[in-house]
Amino acid sequence: MSTDEWRSATSEMAVQQFDIAADRLVIDPNVAGRLRRPERAMIVSVPTRMDDGHVHVFTGYRVQHNDVLGPFKGGIRYHPAVNLGEVSALAMWMTWKCSLVGLPLGGAKGGIACDPAKLSRNEVQSMTRRFTAEILNFIGPDVDVPAPDMGTNEQVMAWIMDTYSQHKGHAVPEVVTGKPVAIGGTLGRREATGHGVVYMVIEAAKHLGIDLTKCTAVVQGFGNVGSIAVKELANIGVRVIGVSDRTGGFVDTKGLPVGKLLEVADKNHSLEGCPYGGRISNEELLELKCDVLVPAALEMQITKANAARLQCRILAEGANGPTTPEADAILRDKGVFVIPDILANAGGVVVSYFEWVQDLQNFFWTEEEVNKKLRDILTKAFHEVLNMSQKHSVDMRLAALMIGIDRVARAMLWRGFYA
Ligand code: NAD
């Protein structure tokens, strides 16, 4: 791209993080120049027949940041705030994430600016199929493999897989991950990101000498990542005292009834009207006194405006980009142990990788195998990041970015990829 249309507050943040790590690593400036921007960014019009008969034209995006290590990989987001800058930032973070956990995959992201809660099932299906048709020549099992993200789920992945397969004339399950198990999905994918968050909290607590059974947790966002994190935290004996979703938050310092919250969310697709605990805003929720805070919703939730008021000991970033660089500096001074997004939420892409491998081999694993392999990969990555952070006296985010970026930069030099 010749201009900087892809830049926005979120992509500035991703580039700022990259620059800090690249400076520290002393990366070849030619490679750094290439890595600061995506390889390819697409904006597509997605005309969709609405239930009332009129055609609404949505705007869709797919940004492919870097594929030096393997095919592009990254989720598809349906949310009103989706724009080219946000998708570009998320694509860049995917590159570092895949590299950090040692996957032979690159970084991409996509999305449609829409509010899925206001669309009917038919409308979401039509919009998804048209979006898939628009990006069809740029995705594929060896090229770019989408997955779910905020606002999308296994049904949306099934429609993408079906549209792609219709064009190819045969079933191509390996074109997406996060599909239903019935059509080539893997066991354990739905829970993978939330499981990964909790595996990382367990490692952090061991490192800090904290007994999690005496701890409290607060989780922002109650979707795929947040609800599974809440469930697993409760399973290991953590008292969950605060949860929230787009409709607001709920707090009970004695502990919320996790099983009942999950039932409400399952039935209503939100926590709205939930009769448990007191009401609290999303802003107040983040500032509750707790041991473990898990942001699992949107970017830029923890900024210089509220970071000083956070009262957690461990911040486990289920969401992508929830903390700004200014907030990072404040949290560092406060001694909060941050498990950065590209490590904390990497469970999703790790099990997506397992799904892709199983599809390519037509040979499927048990859930126990999936979970064991996931935990091994994430635990290894946690200790690599911790060692890097101790060796270079840097925080966990910088350490994780340094490992991820360094592997990509080395691969680019080997391949002469930047010129
Ligand atoms: P989801 O759509 O399943 O759930 C999102 C949740 O956030 C919902 O409960 C929604 O109500 C809530 N939410 C939306 N706006 C909010 C706001 N302003 N304040 C508080 N809550 C709000 O999405 P998800 O898949 O759980 O993704 C959540 C985050 O995790 C995103 O940042 C995503 O990029 C990241 N992530 C997801 C995966 C995955 O496998 N799904 C993997 C890695 C990272």
Side-chain angles (χ1 to χ4, degrees), residues 245 247-250 261 264-265 268 270-277 279:
D245 71 2
T247 65
F250 300 84
L261 291 174
V264 171
N268 302 341
S270 92
L271 291 170
E272 198 165 21
C274 189
Y276 312 107
R279 293 308 309 259

Side-chain angles (χ1 to χ4, degrees), residues 76-90:
I76 304 269
R77 176 175 291 195
Y78 289 174
H79 190 274
V82 165
N83 60 50
L84 190 59
E86 182 187 63
V87 177
S88 301
L90 291 162

